[in-house]
Amino acid sequence: MTDSELTDVVVVGYGPVGAMVANLLGQAGVATIVLERDVKPHTMPRAGATDDEVIRIFQAAGLDDQLLPLLDLGQSTQFVAANGDQLVTMRPSGGRNGFPQLAFFYQPDLERVLHDGVARYPQVSVRMGVRVEAVHDDGDGVTVWTRTGDRGRQTAIRARYVVACDGGRSTVRNLCSIAFTGSTYAQPWLVVDAKLEAPLDDVTCFQFVGNPDRPAVTLPLPGTHHRWEFMVLPGEDQAALATLENARRLISPWVDPDRVTILRHIVYTFHARAADRWRSGRVLLAGDAAHLMPPFAGQGLSAGMRDAHNLAWKLAAVIAGTADSSLLDSYESERRPHVTRMTRLTRFSGALVQTRRRRVAKIRDIALAKAARVSYFTEGRFKPHLRYSSGAFDSSRRRSGAGHAFPQPTVRTSAGRLRPLDDLIGSGWAVVGRDLDPQANMPSESRELWASLGAAYLSVSRPGHRRTRCAAGTVVVEDLDGYVLDFFDRHGGDFAIVRPDRIVFAMPDAGDLDNAADLYTSLVGVA
C-alpha cells in the first residue's frame, strides 16, 4: 500500500457518460482522475441515436465541431408493417436547441471525440485497466481503493467526490449498497452490427418492423455501418439464436449476408431499472449506474449525457466554494422525474413494436396509419422536453420558465456575425435581458455576485431592433429565429438567469432583478 493520492473528483468508468463528466470538469478546472477497468476503449457500438439536447451538451464541452461531421443529422423514424408497408413516418421538428432533433452516430467515433476532448486538460488523468475494489466515505472525503490488473498493488486515491459512471452492473453502486430496483421490464433481443459495402437503398432511416412473427428494428448508422435487432421469442435458446449462422439468416431479407461484414452478434436483455438513490454522501451515480431504460427511443445514452451536464457544474461550484454541498441533492430531484418520463416513452415505443398477437398488431397498424395524419405524432412533439419540476431554480411563479431549458437560436451580433447563442454565453452563468441591458438594471450587490461567477450579460432583441447603448461587457444580439423572444412571451419576465447547464434559474421582472443575490443564496447556498 502507498499513501493516498489526492484529487478533487474520481470518475469511475470511461464510457461516454464518464468521458463527458471528465470533459466538463476539466473545462471547469477541476482536478479529476478517471478510472476504467478495461485496458482499452470499446471498439464495438452500443448506442446509435441521440438528440439535439445532447449535441448541445457537446457544444457546451467545446466538442460540437468535432462531433457534427460524424453524425447523420435530421433523421426520421418509421413504423413498418409486417408486409413492408410504411404506416407512419415521424420526423421531429422544432430545433429550439440549435440542432436537428434526431441524429445517428457510430459509437466508437463518438467516444474518440470525447477522449480527444479529455486530452485537452492536464488536470484530468485517465487510467485504463484499473479496478475499484473499495470505496470509503468518511464524511470529509472519499478513499477509493484500486488495483491495476489481477496482481497489481492495491493503491488509494483520496477525493472530495466520486462519480460512478460504471454501467448497469456498477461496482461503485454495489460497494455503496445502493439497491437497483424500479421497473421489472426485461426482454432479450439479438443485436447484429454489420459493415456494409454501401448504405441500403430501402432503409434510409430508423425503422420499427411490426412483424408479429418476430418484431425487429433496422437502423442505418454513419459510415455504412448498420444495425439490426431481433426479438428473442419465448422458448428460444438465446445462445443458439446468437450464432453467426442465425445472424446471417435473419438479416438476409434486407441484404446479401455474403456482401457484409458482421462485426457483432449478441443477445442483450433490455431493462428499465433505477437506483434507489443517486447520491450516497460524497458518491454520486450517473448514466447506466443510476438508471437503465430500453433502447427503443434512443434515450439511454442521452439520459446519461444530461446527467453529466446537470451534475458537473454543480460539483465544480461546490469544489470552488461558490455553492453549498446541499446543491448536489438537486441533481437527483431534477433528473429522476425526467428519466422516468423518458423511460415511459421507451417502454411505450417498445410495446408498439413487440406486439406478437396478430389481432392486436392489426389494430395497432390501423391506429398508426391514422396517426400519420396527426402532426403532434409525426413531428415527435410527444417526446418530453428537458424541463425540471423542482430543484435548484426559482419555482415560486407557476408559469415561469424556471426549470426549462433556455432555447438556442442563431443570433446576429453587433459586428454582423451569425452565431449560435450558446457560443456567446460560454460555459458559465448568463443573465439575458429582453431588449434590456442586465447591467443597467442590476444593483451593485447582484452585479458583484454574477461577476464573481463569471456570468455573461446579453441583451436580446428582434431583428433590426437591437440596443445600441449598453454597458461594457454586455453582448447585444438579434434573435433571428425568434426562439428567445417567444420564450419570454410564453413565460413572462424581463430577464432570464440561465445556469451553466442551460436550465433557467429564474425569470425576474426588471424590478425584481435586485433580488438575484438573495435568490442564489437561498437556492444554491453560498453568495
Side-chain angles (χ1 to χ4, degrees), residues 30 110 172 193 198 207 241 253 278 326 378 419 443 451 466 468 473:
V30 176
L110 179 143
V172 175
D193 283 299
Q207 289 185 345
L241 182 67
W278 298 5
S326 61
T378 59
R419 301 283 298 279
R466 66 171 180 256
T468 56

Side-chain angles (χ1 to χ4, degrees), residues 230-313:
F230 302 95
M231 185 177 177
V232 178
L233 304 180
E236 283 188 317
D237 181 272
Q238 295 184 20
L241 182 67
T243 62
L244 178 59
E245 179 183 2
N246 275 325
R248 289 167 53 86
R249 174 179 60 83
L250 288 169
I251 68 173
S252 60
W254 287 272
V255 66
D256 181 354
D258 291 330
R259 304 190 67 178
V260 306
T261 300
I262 294 181
L263 303 175
R264 182 177 61 164
H265 44 98
I266 188 171
V267 170
Y268 278 102
T269 298
F270 301 142
H271 297 280
R273 305 178 69 185
D276 282 359
R277 62 188 190 279
W278 298 5
R279 181 185 183 189
S280 176
R282 291 177 174 268
V283 178
L284 299 113
L285 311 181
D288 286 354
H291 45 75
L292 288 172
M293 65 181 72
F296 301 109
Q299 286 298 311
L301 178 142
S302 299
M305 289 297 185
R306 296 186 193 99
D307 293 347
H309 205 198
N310 185 290
L311 181 57
W313 78 265

Side-chain angles (χ1 to χ4, degrees), residues 52-123:
D52 53 334
E53 294 170 0
V54 172
I55 302 173
R56 193 176 181 185
I57 297 172
F58 274 84
Q59 180 190 8
L63 297 173
D64 52 318
D65 287 343
Q66 293 82 356
L67 179 69
L68 287 171
L70 305 175
L71 298 179
D72 184 355
L73 290 164
Q75 265 291 357
S76 302
T77 300
Q78 289 181 343
F79 203 103
V80 181
N83 62 2
D85 289 346
Q86 295 178 7
L87 300 172
V88 61
T89 298
M90 293 171 285
R91 187 174 187 276
S93 63
R96 290 180 177 268
N97 285 295
F99 301 99
Q101 288 184 274
L102 181 60
F104 297 154
F105 60 86
Y106 186 61
Q107 185 166 336
D109 293 340
L110 179 143
E111 292 198 34
R112 187 161 48 251
V113 169
L114 287 165
H115 295 169
D116 289 346
V118 169
R120 297 174 294 176
Y121 302 112
Q123 69 272 31

Side-chain angles (χ1 to χ4, degrees), residues 171-180 276-277 280:
T171 296
V172 175
R173 188 188 64 233
N174 291 329
L175 288 171
C176 293
S177 300
I178 299 174
F180 200 44
D276 282 359
R277 62 188 190 279
S280 176

